[in-house]
Amino acid sequence: NITLINDGSENVRLDENSIDFSFSSPPYYNIEYYSNDQTQAYAQGEDYFYNIYWKKTLENIKFMLKPNKIFALNVLERFSKMINMTKDMFGNPIEIIKLRTIRSHLTKTKKVGTEKFEPVYIYKNIK
């Protein structure tokens, strides 16, 4: 059984200590556009993106995730603001895994079939 929640991660807060694992591959502010809808976090500016959307998302994950369970974050190293905010919430990652991908979905300059690696930061939820 599943429950599908059609809402942004900044707005969803389930019961405290109710989930065993959380994974996020968030949009990068002003690089990934999924729609022109004003409800998209990037449509409301950089301050909103980081200080409302991403901060509330992290707070919700921390609240819902059971103690000592894992939060995995897939984000490129150059987006240090997101990484630093996550470190402030969860501490240093316990591991960094390199996720192998075949092509870039963010740029048209990479050839299809080009191999690349994206980091997945693994955090333990210490409460």
Side-chain angles (χ1 to χ4, degrees):
N1 294 329
I2 65 163
T3 302
L4 181 60
I5 301 170
N6 187 15
D7 204 341
S9 58
E10 72 275 26
N11 300 322
V12 175
R13 184 174 266 215
L14 305 175
D15 293 337
E16 186 173 14
N17 300 326
S18 62
I19 61 175
D20 292 305
F21 176 76
S22 181
F23 178 87
S24 182
S25 186
Y28 301 129
Y29 173 71
N30 78 359
I31 292 181
E32 292 182 318
Y33 293 95
Y34 299 113
S35 79
N36 291 325
D37 191 296
Q38 287 302 303
T39 62
Q40 296 293 310
Y42 53 76
Q44 300 179 51
E46 187 174 4
D47 185 59
Y48 180 90
F49 183 85
Y50 289 108
N51 297 319
I52 304 296
Y53 160 72
W54 188 236
K55 182 179 180 195
K56 283 187 172 184
T57 294
L58 291 172
E59 289 171 348
N60 289 341
I61 292 168
K62 179 94 174 153
F63 179 81
M64 295 182 296
L65 193 60
K66 292 176 183 176
N68 298 312
K69 296 299 182 179
I70 300 298
F71 170 48
L73 173 63
N74 172 222
V75 66
L76 295 176
E77 296 97 337
R78 66 184 170 143
F79 295 96
S80 59
K81 188 166 187 171
M82 293 181 93
I83 296 166
N84 289 335
M85 290 176 72
T86 306
K87 283 182 186 177
D88 289 345
M89 183 69 61
F90 288 93
N92 289 323
I94 60 170
E95 187 175 358
I96 301 172
I97 298 168
K98 294 292 184 177
L99 178 67
R100 180 179 168 260
T101 62
I102 298 301
R103 68 173 184 85
S104 175
H105 62 280
L106 297 177
T107 178
K108 294 179 179 165
T109 60
K110 300 244 182 199
K111 293 179 185 178
V112 172
T114 301
E115 184 178 76
K116 69 177 203 151
F117 294 87
E118 292 184 2
V120 177
Y121 299 86
I122 308 297
Y123 298 92
K124 186 179 266 192
N125 192 28
I126 305 299
K127 291 190 176 185

